[in-house]
Amino acid sequence: EIVMTQSPVTLSVSPGERATLSCRASQSVSSHLAWYQHKSGQAPRLLIYGASTRATGVPARFTGSGSGTEFTLTISSLQSEDFAVYYCQQYNNWPPLTFGGGTKVEIK
Amino acid sequence: EVQVVESGGGLVQPGGSLRLSCAASGFTFSTKWMHWVRQAPGKGLVWVSRIDTDDTITTYADFVKGRFTISRDNAKNTLYLQMNSLRAEDTAVYYCARGGGYCSGGNCYPFFDSWGQGTLVTVSS
């Protein structure tokens, strides 16, 4: 099973600032990496797939990068609606499909 | 608009059974893999199961294998999860998710491109 590790667990950021979230895989997942945004009580939302392709309707301030075992999600200028928990997920080697533990982006 | 709406959650005693449903609309249901993903209280997302387009291939996480059964009715645009022998650790919000991704060279690479809001399953006496 591929273990996904996200850091930091919590990220405190002021609105308008940049946020950088990391995701590491225990072995290479090529570019088969997705990012999701999840707000409490709501449906999770696909942001990025293929490590760097934005899903339909996702604003350009969300950028995914990386390949192999190291990945990054950057939010260039945080808006109020971006405060949420973010998960990475590998889909290269499965079952099982595996998620990271999440990074909570909170208001500083 | 793509929509998936879960139902069927509730309180059940350990050892009991429950069947979740997921009603899909806004897309051609029969052409998409479908998945169940769960989130225990205070924890992260965990993949549970998936089913291919015509109900011939199913895959499960080890922790539900032999207890849960995923199925679908393409005529009704509905996905199901039959959960038997429930344990306290199965307590979670269960999400239905539409499969995205692709297959190439005999391998498939699935992620989740649309999700429902989830239904809460509580296993407790």
Side-chain angles (χ1 to χ4, degrees):
Chain A
E1 173 175 332
I2 295 180
V3 177
M4 306 301 291
T5 303
Q6 290 187 243
S7 61
V9 172
T10 304
L11 187 61
S12 298
V13 186
S14 299
E17 289 188 340
R18 171 189 296 255
T20 302
L21 289 66
S22 296
C23 174
R24 173 177 291 177
S26 60
Q27 63 189 76
S28 177
V29 298
S30 184
S31 293
H32 296 124
L33 190 285
W35 289 95
Y36 302 89
Q37 178 190 68
H38 191 200
K39 299 178 184 179
S40 182
Q42 297 188 19
R45 175 193 182 193
L46 174 67
L47 296 176
I48 302 284
Y49 62 93
S52 61
T53 302
R54 276 188 294 274
T56 302
V58 174
R61 63 180 181 271
F62 291 91
T63 302
S65 62
S67 67
T69 61
E70 301 284 342
F71 300 89
T72 301
L73 175 69
T74 302
I75 312 171
S76 59
S77 176
L78 270 156
Q79 306 298 301
S80 57
E81 62 266 29
D82 300 336
F83 293 97
V85 180
Y86 293 82
Y87 294 94
C88 62
Q89 176 240 330
Q90 70 81 22
Y91 52 99
N92 188 67
N93 192 333
W94 68 285
L97 296 162
T98 51
F99 293 88
T103 291
K104 180 180 181 180
V105 177
E106 64 176 24
I107 300 175
K108 187 175 183 180
Chain B
E1 180 194 2
V2 173
Q3 267 202 312
V4 291
V5 179
E6 304 90 341
S7 61
L11 175 64
V12 60
Q13 292 189 337
S17 298
L18 210 55
R19 188 175 87 154
L20 306 183
S21 299
C22 168
S25 61
F27 65 99
T28 306
F29 181 71
S30 62
T31 65
K32 296 291 187 179
W33 286 13
M34 296 296 295
H35 301 260
W36 289 99
V37 177
R38 74 184 189 185
Q39 183 176 36
K43 304 294 185 181
L45 300 171
V46 178
W47 173 78
V48 173
S49 182
R50 73 97 185 186
I51 188 167
D52 70 344
T53 56
D54 56 5
D55 203 359
T56 54
I57 301 176
T58 58
T59 313
Y60 299 92
D62 284 347
F63 55 83
V64 302
K65 214 172 278 186
R67 300 188 300 126
F68 289 13
T69 302
I70 190 172
S71 62
R72 65 192 295 161
D73 185 336
N74 286 342
K76 295 182 178 179
N77 291 343
T78 302
L79 174 73
Y80 302 100
L81 186 67
Q82 177 67 44
M83 303 186 296
N84 299 331
S85 303
L86 281 161
R87 307 166 180 166
E89 54 265 36
D90 295 318
T91 294
V93 175
Y94 284 75
Y95 296 98
C96 166
R98 189 180 79 166
Y102 68 99
C103 295
S104 174
N107 294 312
C108 292
Y109 304 96
F111 53 87
F112 317 106
D113 65 5
S114 290
W115 300 64
Q117 291 199 318
T119 187
L120 175 62
V121 173
T122 302
V123 184
S124 175
S125 54

